[in-house]
């Protein structure tokens, strides 16, 4: 479909009309990984954002969604108009049209649509934006660019929930997609403090060399190559060149293995996988500053007691050693950031014992200071 002309959306009498703008139109501003299909633009990572500026009084989007529905399979979006507080939007499986704003005062407006839910909930395909008026050029982008690579913590898992455990036997609520919100997560808060643009590459339960369920497919180094997890399109790294890449991975490698002979993570396997990812990030982004952190559900230490014989492993120490290894090899733009372990009794927890919004704020404060004082000075 051709892009509308500059005066599309208004008749000779000045009456506004509806104009359908294809998802691939260059005036739609995307932040986050995606690829163009035959019918639209496909994306799945939390935090993927579509922005548009238009002259008119209403805007809709036509979306084909692949979530399965229900408490864990419904995709949620945040919709914000002219910088106002975002309103949550739950979408349905299949193709539908959603009103993003109506009854606005006729004039210049900016709409922002942010995907809150992660790839495990399902991917989405934007087909078109429909404007009652005419589309204009998009707003300018921030100068500083960040990329965040990680697992559920970086996805903002459960950040809409905060509960204080009241007993040793207390059980945290389990995942509900409506409570996942990356904009309340440490990565988003850090980027906002720095005035940066953020792209997330994260997936709950996935690790460097083993996933939480002990599977070894779709590991983070492999997911880093893709535009959308579960889809064959390779991500074109030339579309986004970050100034800072933050890697928060290793929690699932450490937590995996309960009830198995591989209770403790393998130092050799973990380091090999992490080393490979560091090399790949550096290959794709020669000038980027790479920050390696871990937390805040664990600092990476794990021990095992078998008949009085205690053995242990420390993923956090391994990450520190890997950063030192890169530095010794001449890569001075790789840094180790220490993330404090969460304090559930003081700050609460989110679903499945994930960091609460309060903990995410503390994580963001720590990471922001580190970036300002050590990395970006």
């Amino acid at each position: 479909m051709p892009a509308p002309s500059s005066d599309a959306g208004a008749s000779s009498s000045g009456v506004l009309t509806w104009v359908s703008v294809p998802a691939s139109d260059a005036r739609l501003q995307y932040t986050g990984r995606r690829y163009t299909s035959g019918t639209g633009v496909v994306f799945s990572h939390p935090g993927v954002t579509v922005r548009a500026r238009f002259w008119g009084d209403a805007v809709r989007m036509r979306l084909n969604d692949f979530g399965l529905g229900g408490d864990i399979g419904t995709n949620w979006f945040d919709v914000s108009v002219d910088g106002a507080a975002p309103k949550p939007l739950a979408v349905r499986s299949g193709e539908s049209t959603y009103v993003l704003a109506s009854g606005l005062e006729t004039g210049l407006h900016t709409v922002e649509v942010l995907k809150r839910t992660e790839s495990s909930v399902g991917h989405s395909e934007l087909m078109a934006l429909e404007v009652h008026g005419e589309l204009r050029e998009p707003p300018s982008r921030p100068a500083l660019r960040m990329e965040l690579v990680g697992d559920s913590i970086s996805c903002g898992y459960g950040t809409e929930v905060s509960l204080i455990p009241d007993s040793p036997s207390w059980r945290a609520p389990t995942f509900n997609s409506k409570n996942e919100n990356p904009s309340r997560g440490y990565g988003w808060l850090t980027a906002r403090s720095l005035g940066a643009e953020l792209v997330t590459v994260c997936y709950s339960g996935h690790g460097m060399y083993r996933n939480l369920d002990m599977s070894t497919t779709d590991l983070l180094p492999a997911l880093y190559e893709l535009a959308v997890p579960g889809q064959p399109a390779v991500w074109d790294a030339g579309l986004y060149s970050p100034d800072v890449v933050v890697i928060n991975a290793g929690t699932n490698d450490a937590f995996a293995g309960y009830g198995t002979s591989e209770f403790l993570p393998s130092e050799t396997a973990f380091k090999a996988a992490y080393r490979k990812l560091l090399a790949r990030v550096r290959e794709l982004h020669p000038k980027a500053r790479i920050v390696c952190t871990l937390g805040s559900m664990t600092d990476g230490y794990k021990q095992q007691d078998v008949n009085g014989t205690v053995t242990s492993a420390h993923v956090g120490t391994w990450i520190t050693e890997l950063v030192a290894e890169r530095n010794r090899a001449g890569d001075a733009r790789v840094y180790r950031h220490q993330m404090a372990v969460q304090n559930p009794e003081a700050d609460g927890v989110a679903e499945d014992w994930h960091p609460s919004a309060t903990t995410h704020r503390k994580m963001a404060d720590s990471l922001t200071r580190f970036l300002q004082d050590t990395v970006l000075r």
Side-chain angles (χ1 to χ4, degrees):
M1 179 184 298
S5 62
S6 59
D7 62 348
S11 68
S12 58
S13 63
V15 177
L16 301 178
T17 58
W18 282 103
V19 176
S20 181
V21 181
S24 58
D25 191 292
R27 291 169 296 174
L28 298 185
Q29 184 185 91
Y30 291 89
T31 301
R33 293 195 171 191
R34 74 275 179 193
Y35 69 88
T36 301
S37 68
T39 52
V41 174
V42 181
F43 50 88
S44 72
H45 283 295
V48 170
T49 304
V50 186
R51 295 182 189 87
R53 183 176 286 165
F54 66 98
W55 178 274
D57 63 1
V59 60
R60 307 183 298 221
M61 74 170 176
R62 190 153 51 88
L63 188 80
N64 187 17
D65 193 73
F66 293 82
L68 299 179
D71 288 344
I72 64 174
T74 296
N75 270 314
W76 285 78
F77 290 79
D78 270 349
V79 180
S80 178
V81 178
D82 297 332
K87 296 181 179 180
L89 171 67
V91 301
R92 302 174 290 275
S93 178
E95 186 176 335
S96 297
T97 298
Y98 302 90
V99 175
L100 303 180
S102 62
L104 301 173
E105 181 179 348
T106 301
L108 188 63
H109 300 283
T110 300
V111 62
E112 177 177 292
V113 182
L114 177 147
K115 188 174 187 286
R116 285 172 50 148
T117 38
E118 63 176 286
S119 301
S120 63
V121 178
H123 63 279
S124 304
E125 181 180 23
L126 181 65
M127 316 290 285
L129 203 68
E130 299 176 349
V131 175
H132 195 230
E134 63 183 57
L135 191 67
R136 297 289 179 85
E137 292 299 315
S140 59
R141 292 182 180 273
L144 183 64
R145 292 182 166 190
M146 290 180 59
E147 183 176 72
L148 177 61
V149 183
D151 47 41
S152 54
I153 299 170
S154 298
C155 288
Y157 188 111
T159 51
E160 293 292 335
V161 174
S162 182
L163 298 167
I164 302 289
D166 60 9
S167 72
S169 60
W170 183 82
R171 301 178 72 88
T174 57
F175 180 78
N176 188 315
S177 64
K178 71 179 180 181
N179 294 321
E180 187 164 51
N181 188 351
S183 66
R184 301 192 74 183
Y186 76 96
W188 206 265
L189 296 173
T190 297
R192 189 176 299 154
S193 294
L194 297 173
E197 183 175 79
L198 180 68
V199 167
T200 58
V201 186
C202 52
Y203 205 118
S204 290
H206 289 239
M208 279 289 179
Y209 89 95
R210 66 178 184 176
N211 299 321
L212 184 61
D213 63 2
M214 293 294 285
S215 64
T216 55
T217 57
D218 297 324
L219 296 163
L220 289 176
L223 293 176
Y224 191 72
E225 302 295 329
L226 302 176
V228 176
Q231 304 295 311
V234 174
W235 171 242
D236 179 1
L239 293 175
Y240 189 79
S241 181
D243 301 293
V244 177
V245 178
V246 176
I247 302 174
N248 184 354
T251 297
N252 290 308
D253 300 87
F255 282 170
Y258 283 98
T260 75
S261 59
E262 298 176 79
F263 178 80
L264 296 179
S266 164
E267 179 177 1
T268 299
F270 180 82
K271 283 187 172 180
Y274 205 113
R275 189 178 290 119
K276 180 179 179 181
L277 180 59
L278 284 176
R280 182 60 170 157
V281 172
R282 177 55 73 223
E283 177 187 10
L284 294 173
H285 307 297
K287 296 181 179 180
R289 295 166 172 86
I290 304 172
V291 178
C292 303
T293 190
L294 181 67
S296 63
M297 295 179 75
T298 178
D299 64 358
Y301 180 77
K302 191 177 184 181
Q303 73 174 33
Q304 183 176 36
D305 186 341
V306 179
N307 299 323
T309 300
V310 177
T311 53
S312 64
H314 203 315
V315 170
T317 297
W318 300 343
I319 295 172
T320 301
E321 292 169 351
L322 286 163
V323 170
E325 179 183 293
R326 292 287 311 187
N327 295 159
R328 287 194 302 270
D331 190 347
R333 292 193 171 194
V334 182
Y335 306 82
R336 177 68 165 101
H337 172 253
Q338 299 282 350
M339 192 80 78
V341 176
Q342 65 188 12
N343 183 349
E345 287 71 27
D347 300 325
V349 292
E351 294 168 331
D352 292 313
W353 289 88
H354 282 74
S356 65
T358 298
T359 300
H360 273 283
R361 167 54 68 186
K362 291 183 175 181
M363 295 166 68
D365 290 344
S366 173
L367 182 57
T368 300
R369 287 194 302 270
F370 183 77
L371 291 174
Q372 290 173 327
D373 297 344
T374 303
V375 179
L376 296 173
R377 62 178 182 175

